[in-house]
Amino acid sequence: MNTVAVVGTQWGDEGKGKIVDLLAADADIVVRFHGGNNAAHTLVVNGQKLVVRQVPAGVLHPGKICVIGNGAVVDPIALLAELDNLQRHSLLSDPQSFKLSYEAHMVMPYHGAIDRAREARLAKAAIGTTGFGIGPAYEDKAARIGLRFVDLLDMKSFAAKLERNLADKNAYLKSILKAKPIRGEDLLEQLKRARKRLLPHLCDTGEYLEDAIAAGKRVLFEGAHGTLLDIDHGTYPFVTSSSCLASALCAGAGVALSRLQAVVGISKAYTTRVGGGPFPTEIKNRLGERLREEGEEFGAATGRPRRIGWLDMVLARHSLRLNGAWGLALTKLDVLTGIDPLKICVAYEHRGQRYDRMPPGGALLDRMRPVYEELPGWSRPLDGVQTLADLPAAARRYLDRIGELLGVPIVMVGTGAGREAAIVLKNPFAA
Ligand code: IMP
């Protein structure tokens, strides 16, 4: 297969960076199609940690083309800092290796200010956003007042739109949110400098991808967040502001539905979430703390500690159905070493009723009592195991049971942080 999408099936942070990095080795082009720098992928290569936020995680393979599609919202100033950092690591040095859609919307400092002021006002009811202005940027897109990269082609009209937006947002910040307005004086100058560097990368990315697919190039589409953060099908309102499903790539990368050949869903061997919202299998005791430490479960974008829970089949089924997954990649199996017994949530119960599927609209999710199945754990460390045969029998049993419960084959398993610490059972690009 030549066109593959990878999407998270949980609340983000499923270890997509590692799976994308692995699959990108076989791809020619890697594409982001939604979200912004609220996403962050931590990659470990040759023992060195590198965090990418807006540029696709496939960037680590020299010679690949990285694309940010029109469905993403991009902070131009943060993007330049990210490009500088990558170039310091000798990545993306060739200007042709990075393409940014003319139609992508810009995230501006006023978006971040509004995001943070609203969260502060909500106090205990806050969503727990990353504070990077993603929601307000998508609001402007839907309200048809957003600034797009194509607007940089005409700086006179760009400056006028920016001035109008700045005045409106500052009025809103001051009088409604009771927050400090944004100082606009040097913003236009900063954006002019960003323009100079970004213009050579701007491109009609939809056309570019269509031509590449027609020419037989291999394209990997990289979902930025998890399905449970999807604006329509996630745990609303504790979600992000974009569609996080594989199907979002049609609108967000400008690629026809019929072009997509396979979807790989990604799940951790347990569950995590950052920010507020329901989490039926959350572990709130020492075991949760232990998993947080061993799995290094602190947000890559914000550094916040992640909430930890057992694997949840109800949520996994919901996500796999929505994405039409061809296979499941299960990451961080090694982190479960030494925990016995292991629990898998197979259904929920509420007031005597059993739920095998997500309750309608996600409502009542915070009142659901998980029904657990227990499986034996293992004690031998898994670091670096690359074949199923080398896994302890109990770890194999854990994988088999997940595959049985979901009816979707497990195609990859993460067994450690490093690039090579994985079992690849089926590679979609080789199928
Ligand atoms: P926003 O996307 O910054 O508006 O945040 C909305 C919700 O999505 C919050 O709960 C965030 O913690 C969560 N979120 C956004 N991006 C990610 C991600 O990449 N990983 C995990 N959670 C995320």
Side-chain angles (χ1 to χ4, degrees):
M1 292 187 284
N2 282 350
T3 51
V4 176
V6 293
V7 286
T9 61
Q10 299 170 310
W11 282 289
D13 307 316
E14 294 91 351
K16 279 188 296 285
K18 182 191 170 105
I19 301 297
V20 166
D21 177 57
L22 216 144
L23 290 174
D26 292 317
D28 300 300
I29 302 168
V30 191
V31 187
R32 274 275 307 261
F33 53 91
H34 69 119
N37 57 353
N38 49 346
H41 293 313
T42 308
L43 306 154
V44 182
V45 180
N46 302 330
Q48 262 202 314
K49 262 193 193 174
L50 195 65
V51 178
V52 287
R53 292 168 182 272
Q54 306 188 94
V55 172
V59 67
L60 291 194
H61 291 273
K64 311 293 170 187
I65 312 277
C66 289
V67 175
I68 300 182
N70 56 281
V73 288
V74 179
D75 178 332
I77 295 157
L79 177 64
L80 288 188
E82 194 172 327
L83 292 176
D84 284 344
N85 187 33
L86 289 168
Q87 281 162 2
R88 270 196 293 279
H89 287 82
S90 308
L91 297 164
L92 290 190
S93 319
D94 173 4
Q96 292 308 314
S97 60
F98 174 59
K99 300 188 188 298
L100 171 61
S101 169
Y102 281 118
E103 292 160 331
H105 278 247
M106 291 188 200
V107 183
M108 291 289 171
Y110 47 77
H111 292 134
I114 291 171
D115 190 359
R116 292 187 293 273
R118 280 186 188 154
E119 286 284 276
R121 232 160 64 122
L122 283 170
K124 277 195 173 158
I127 292 165
T129 71
T130 57
F132 293 139
I134 305 304
Y138 276 114
E139 282 170 37
D140 280 5
K141 175 177 177 173
R144 295 155 295 178
I145 56 166
L147 288 163
R148 300 184 297 167
F149 284 89
V150 69
D151 293 322
L152 293 174
L153 298 183
D154 177 350
M155 279 313 274
K156 204 167 153 217
S157 91
F158 179 85
K161 287 179 195 166
L162 179 66
E163 198 183 321
R164 184 196 61 203
N165 279 2
L166 202 58
D168 285 2
K169 304 300 177 184
N170 274 342
Y172 176 58
L173 275 164
K174 267 199 299 193
S175 57
I176 308 284
L177 298 178
K178 313 288 178 218
K180 264 201 192 153
I182 293 292
R183 292 168 58 112
E185 301 91 73
D186 56 353
L187 181 57
L188 186 61
E189 286 315 307
Q190 281 185 54
L191 290 167
K192 279 184 184 164
R193 283 198 294 276
R195 170 185 191 268
K196 215 165 153 199
R197 283 203 45 205
L198 292 175
L199 275 185
H201 299 288
L202 296 185
C203 159
D204 184 331
T205 49
E207 289 274 7
Y208 169 76
L209 290 170
E210 175 55 29
D211 290 347
I213 294 168
K217 298 280 186 209
R218 288 175 159 183
V219 185
L220 181 63
F221 296 94
E222 179 182 320
H225 313 291
T227 299
L228 302 175
L229 291 173
D230 180 88
I231 184 82
D232 287 290
H233 303 281
T235 49
Y236 192 92
F238 298 96
V239 293
T240 190
S241 296
S242 61
S243 174
C244 305
L245 308 183
S247 51
L249 73 86
C250 299
V255 169
L257 189 59
S258 54
R259 286 300 198 184
L260 181 63
Q261 292 176 307
V263 178
V264 176
I266 306 187
S267 167
K268 255 183 237 189
Y270 47 97
T271 308
T272 62
R273 106 169 276 183
V274 234
F279 189 171
T281 65
E282 186 165 12
I283 308 171
K284 290 185 175 162
N285 55 24
R286 297 269 308 270
L287 179 60
E289 281 162 34
R290 172 177 163 185
L291 281 167
R292 183 177 305 117
E293 290 303 322
E294 295 198 358
E296 296 187 35
E297 299 294 357
F298 297 89
T302 58
R304 291 178 292 177
R306 296 178 185 144
R307 298 157 66 194
I308 312 285
W310 296 111
L311 197 56
D312 185 329
M313 296 292 108
V314 181
L315 298 180
R317 274 184 220 117
H318 175 74
S319 296
L320 294 171
R321 171 181 69 77
L322 286 163
N323 288 297
W326 164 86
L328 181 69
L330 200 81
T331 62
K332 292 193 152 184
L333 186 66
D334 53 300
V335 176
L336 295 181
T337 301
I339 296 172
D340 196 1
L342 295 168
K343 291 187 187 183
I344 299 178
C345 167
V346 292
Y348 302 140
E349 257 176 25
H350 179 59
R351 294 195 169 158
Q353 190 181 337
R354 186 182 163 103
Y355 291 78
D356 293 297
R357 297 181 177 203
M358 177 88 130
L364 300 179
L365 199 56
D366 53 353
R367 292 187 220 160
M368 292 288 152
R369 201 176 59 76
V371 178
Y372 286 116
E373 195 172 292
E374 289 195 355
L375 280 98
W378 58 91
S379 54
R380 176 158 54 86
L382 307 187
D383 297 336
V385 165
Q386 291 181 325
T387 62
L388 273 188
D390 287 336
L391 283 179
R396 284 207 301 276
R397 171 110 191 273
Y398 187 67
L399 297 179
D400 289 345
R401 187 65 187 135
I402 294 164
E404 267 167 36
L405 287 165
L406 295 178
V408 171
I410 293 181
V411 293
M412 290 176 198
V413 183
T415 56
R419 188 179 241 178
E420 62 301 324
I423 303 170
V424 181
L425 298 164
K426 256 169 116 184
N427 179 336
F429 285 122

